[in-house]
């Protein structure tokens, strides 16, 4: 846990440093904390870090979160919270984490691995016991952060989003924005000299809505009980383990502090795996070590001592240790003053050479909302502050791969004399790749995107895609052994591919390429836009990204992003709506008819329709579709108190997974809506208008287990049943549910699949036809891929023939009777690479549809 374990350590071992406070009472006084004075009648201004406070803003650890989310209950709680703050003279500003934070990617990977395991525990618990899981397994419902953001906007509570480094921006905002305190739960804040630091986890609103209480951390009391001067907190935080220098990097150092005679020394290496000492043991040992450092400004001497047991990457660890000290020096310093490491001690910047100067410059510039740094740096300094991969100073390498603990052999010949080399290996547990350069985006579009992003008015995925070309997708509750339901990442990837195409104006670029090709009487050269998606789902670990290609609409040419966002004509508004519906595969007349689909239920119907597009096993049965529609029209949806009393007997695992899939679709629909210029007002996008997880589970049980008819799902109200019928017909309009021919009995080898691959199913999302089309020698007008004389794939891209004559469908053969005759020139040179790609394509299709074989 590293430095993040300090928060729990304080609560457990320093109880006198954690004091309860009532915020309304604090607001009535003039002194807040740390001697801060407030003018009479002025509000108590508090900054809230939403990332640490999501479960409290949702309403607490309610057991109903597992059903997909109870959004009207959350809405009621936030209404009471905002009312209590208004009457208590408390002003809140809630800061959401809108930063991609590649420097903390390894921490995110760890969380995804843990949450993936938690999701499987939840599914197993529900399958075995049929009851909601315990609150210790709390996994945020999909889209929870965005729902909270929309609800706070509704109640006029201040909302912002960070851009680059969430922690530094929160600290800078707290100090320079005139706030009297910070509500959060993160050890980085505890060690960064925050004047008044409150616990987000202890934030509670009384039942009558009149008392808002929490706990305050007295860091001077923590320093007294640890017997550690606060001017040494910077080095203390750097040596505990953090996002720059992880606790795995420091494992050898931490074990050396315990010594060979420590009772836990025998756990150093267990079954060739890296074992870390318990967090509270590490904190006590590091406190003793830092307390006895003769000169905390001599970083070279400190680094030489702490890494004396390391057998590899010592120089890299020394550099990252200095970066960590520089980072916490900046975070701990008051605004507009150089970071000091103690009262009369010499400035820490002199020990950090260029690195700390760089971090200080970042801090000052970020406080002025200036995010460009590398242009200011000298070339020799730039390599020291590359944030894409802290492991390697040369972050411009195309592929940076870190070693994983336990992946190399160990030398245990002298166990007592030295710590095994396993503890000294590189520890970054992810591999990054460099994607092609992103297309240029109009400056005015980027300005609008950054403004909306910072104000919390737009999905953070959009800014990440436009500026970084990558996004992170969190784990959802899904049964990895269930072959009937796809993962949410795979199911809704086509939506994201279309959104990427909209954001990078791909349709217009393709049209220009085709016009140019017509003039030159040659094949068009298309620009392929690749976006990295970091995700964890069944069959996929979070350690590596997936490269996903942006796609344009086939039905029509979407306008460029500038016109889509900034156009003010009526036609521009219509194009925004059409772009959104095209992303959702719902561009049908009935979807825009309010008599069939009410506007507040448009997102619901689009998501359900998209779920029915899945080419494999049908995801939603008719009675399940009716259950979704019936709960959206039920009057109980707006009665959260009644829903709290609703009892569900024997919770259904399939219902839980369907709810998680649906909310993942809502997440992508809101992403698409923002990307297309918000054709649907945000008030009509909010899930509390059309969904409650607990109500859905009750409807699903009645529809499936009790075999209830539609009139029963609508509680006997014929008028509601008629509305459900209309909505169902609108959702199903134009859909063809004829299933592809079933697979024959499972073959025993990959060769047996060669005649089958590509015959029944379209290419998988990860290897799209347009990507194949971009290779030299393959026609953009369509073609076939043959292996051993058998057609295993075919594609057709442009349905409109060229003006100056058409191009014949091209056949690319690999092996078989035509071997060497029709093979394209590029294939002769790159045959091995192409065969590997073919093998990957076939294997991917087999994995996608393996559920049909059993």
């Amino acid at each position: 846990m590293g430095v993040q374990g300090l928060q729990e350590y304080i609560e457990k071992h320093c109880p006198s440093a954690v004091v309860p406070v009532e915020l309304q009472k604090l607001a009535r006084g003039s002194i807040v904390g740390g001697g801060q004075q407030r003018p009479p009648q002025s509000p108590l201004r508090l900054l809230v870090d939403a990332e640490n406070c999501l479960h409290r803003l949702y309403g607490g650890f309610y057991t109903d979160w597992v059903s997909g989310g109870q959004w009207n209950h959350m809405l009621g709680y936030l209404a009471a919270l905002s009312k209590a703050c208004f009457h208590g003279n408390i002003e809140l500003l809630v800061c959401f984490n809108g930063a991609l934070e590649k420097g903390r990617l390894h921490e995110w990977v760890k969380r995804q691995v843990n949450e993936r395991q938690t999701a499987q525990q939840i599914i197993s618990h529900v399958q075995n016991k049929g009851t909601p899981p315990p609150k210790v397994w709390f996994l945020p419902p999909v889209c929870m952060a965005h729902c909270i953001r929309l609800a706070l906007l509704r109640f006029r509570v201040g909302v912002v989003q960070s851009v680059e480094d969430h922690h530094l921006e929160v600290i800078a905002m707290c100090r320079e924005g005139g706030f009297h305190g910070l509500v959060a739960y993160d050890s980085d804040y505890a060690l960064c000299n925050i004047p008044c630091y409150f616990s987000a986890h202890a934030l509670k609103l009384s039942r009558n809505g009149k008392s808002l209480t929490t706990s305050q951390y007295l860091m001077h009391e923590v320093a007294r009980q640890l017997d550690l001067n606060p001017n040494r907190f910077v080095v203390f935080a750097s040596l505990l383990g953090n996002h720059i220098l992880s606790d795995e990097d420091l494992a050898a150092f931490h074990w050396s502090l315990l010594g060979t005679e420590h009772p836990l020394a025998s756990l150093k290496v267990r079954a060739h795996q890296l074992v870390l000492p318990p967090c509270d043991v590490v904190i006590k040992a590091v406190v003793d070590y830092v307390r006895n450092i003769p000169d905390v400004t001599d970083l070279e001497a400190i680094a030489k001592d702490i890494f004396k047991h390391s057998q590899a990457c010592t120089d890299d660890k020394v550099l990252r240790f200095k970066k960590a000290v520089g980072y916490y020096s900046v975070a701990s310093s008051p605004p507009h003053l150089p970071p000091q490491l103690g009262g009369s001690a010499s400035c820490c910047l002199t020990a950090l050479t260029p690195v700390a100067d760089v971090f200080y410059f970042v801090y000052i510039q970020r406080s002025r909302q200036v995010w460009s740094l590398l242009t200011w740096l000298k070339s020799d300094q730039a390599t020291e502050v590359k944030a894409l991969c802290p492991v390697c100073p040369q972050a411009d390498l195309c592929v940076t791969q870190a070693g994983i603990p336990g992946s190399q052999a160990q030398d245990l010949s002298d166990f007592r004399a030295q710590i095994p080399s396993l503890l000294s290996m590189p520890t970054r547990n992810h591999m990054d790749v460099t994607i092609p350069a992103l297309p240029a985006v109009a400056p005015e579009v980027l300005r609008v995107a950054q403004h909306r992003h910072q104000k919390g008015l737009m999905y953070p995925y959009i800014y990440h895609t436009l500026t970084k070309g990558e996004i992170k997708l969190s784990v959802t509750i899904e049964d990895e052994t269930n072959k009937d339901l796809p993962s949410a990442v795979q199911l809704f990837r086509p939506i994201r591919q279309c959104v990427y195409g909209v954001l990078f104006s791909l349709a217009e670029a393709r049209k220009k390429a085709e016009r140019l090709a017509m003039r030159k009487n040659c094949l068009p050269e298309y620009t392929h836009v690749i976006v990295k998606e970091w995700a964890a789902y069944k069959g996929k670990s979070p350690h590596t990204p997936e490269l996903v290609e942006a796609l344009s609409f086939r039905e029509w040419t979407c306008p460029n992003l500038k016109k889509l966002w900034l156009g003010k004509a009526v036609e521009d508004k219509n194009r925004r709506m059409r772009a959104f519906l095209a992303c959702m595969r719902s561009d049908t007349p009935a979807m825009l008819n309010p008599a069939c689909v009410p506007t507040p239920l448009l997102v619901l119907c689009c998501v359900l329709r998209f779920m029915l597009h899945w080419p494999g096993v049908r995801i939603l049965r008719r009675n399940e579709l009716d259950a979704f529609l019936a709960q959206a029209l039920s009057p109980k949806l707006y009665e959260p108190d009644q829903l709290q009393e609703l009892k569900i007997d024997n919770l259904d695992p399939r219902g839980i997974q369907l709810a998680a899939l649906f909310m993942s679709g809502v997440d992508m629909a809101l992403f698409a809506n923002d990307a297309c210029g918000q054709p649907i007002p945000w008030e009509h996008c909010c899930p509390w208008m059309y969904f409650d997880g607990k109500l859905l589970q009750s409807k699903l049980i009645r529809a499936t287990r009790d075999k209830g008819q539609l009139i029963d799902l609508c509680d006997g109200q014929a008028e509601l049943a008629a509305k459900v019928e209309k909505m169902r017909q609108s959702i199903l309009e134009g859909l063809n549910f004829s299933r592809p021919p079933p697979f024959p009995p499972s073959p025993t080898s990959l060769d047996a699949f060669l005649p089958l691959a590509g015959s029944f199913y379209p290419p998988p999302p990860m290897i799209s036809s347009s990507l194949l089309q971009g290779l030299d020698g393959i026609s953009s007008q369509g073609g076939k891929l043959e292996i051993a004389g058998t057609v295993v794939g075919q594609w057709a891209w442009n349905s409109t023939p060229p003006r100056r004559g058409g191009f014949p469908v091209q056949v690319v053969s690999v092996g078989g009777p035509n071997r060497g005759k029709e093979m394209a020139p590029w294939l002769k040179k790159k045959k091995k690479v192409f065969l590997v790609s073919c093998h990957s394509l076939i294997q991917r299709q087999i994995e996608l549809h393996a559920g049909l074989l059993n």
Side-chain angles (χ1 to χ4, degrees), residues 198-242:
F198 302 103
S199 171
H201 284 193
L203 187 66
K204 293 180 181 179
L205 181 65
S206 61
R207 289 186 178 272
N208 60 13
K210 295 182 179 180
S211 176
L212 186 62
T213 59
T214 184
S215 297
Q216 181 178 355
Y217 297 101
L218 307 178
M219 292 311 298
H220 65 276
E221 179 64 18
V222 172
R224 188 188 67 80
Q225 294 198 28
L226 293 179
D227 191 20
L228 186 65
N229 194 316
N231 64 15
R232 297 183 175 233
F233 276 2
V234 168
V235 176
F236 176 50
S238 303
L239 294 183
L240 282 179
N242 47 76

Side-chain angles (χ1 to χ4, degrees), residues 691-711:
F691 182 76
D692 182 276
K694 196 173 184 181
L695 182 59
L696 172 67
Q697 301 307 318
S698 67
K699 299 289 185 182
L700 286 173
I701 290 174
R702 186 179 299 182
T704 56
R705 194 179 303 165
D706 301 338
K707 307 297 181 183
Q709 300 299 313
L710 177 58
I711 191 68

Side-chain angles (χ1 to χ4, degrees), residues 72 601 604 626-640 642-643 646 687-692 694-696 698-699 702 710-717 719-721 723-724 727:
N72 272 293
L601 303 182
L604 166 84
D626 287 348
F628 271 98
L629 298 177
Q631 65 86 31
L633 293 173
S634 173
K636 295 180 181 178
L637 182 68
Y638 300 101
E639 300 293 340
Q642 291 185 20
L643 291 177
L646 180 65
W688 55 79
M689 302 288 294
Y690 48 79
F691 182 76
D692 182 276
K694 196 173 184 181
L695 182 59
L696 172 67
S698 67
K699 299 289 185 182
R702 186 179 299 182
L710 177 58
I711 191 68
D712 299 323
L713 297 181
C714 296
D715 299 322
Q717 300 185 41
E719 182 181 357
L720 292 183
K723 291 182 179 180
V724 170
M727 291 170 63

Side-chain angles (χ1 to χ4, degrees), residues 319-378:
L319 177 62
R320 284 191 280 122
F321 167 66
K322 293 180 179 180
K323 286 184 179 181
V325 173
Y327 183 92
Y328 287 105
S329 295
V330 167
S332 302
S333 304
H336 307 304
L337 294 175
Q340 297 289 331
L341 197 66
S344 58
S346 61
C347 180
C348 183
L349 299 180
T350 58
L352 293 177
T353 60
V355 179
D357 291 296
V358 166
F359 272 109
Y360 176 62
F361 182 82
V362 174
Y363 174 72
I364 295 299
Q365 292 293 73
R366 279 180 177 161
S367 67
R368 300 171 185 168
Q369 298 182 351
V370 178
W371 312 103
S372 176
L373 170 65
L374 294 182
T375 56
W376 174 83
L377 294 173
K378 297 179 182 178

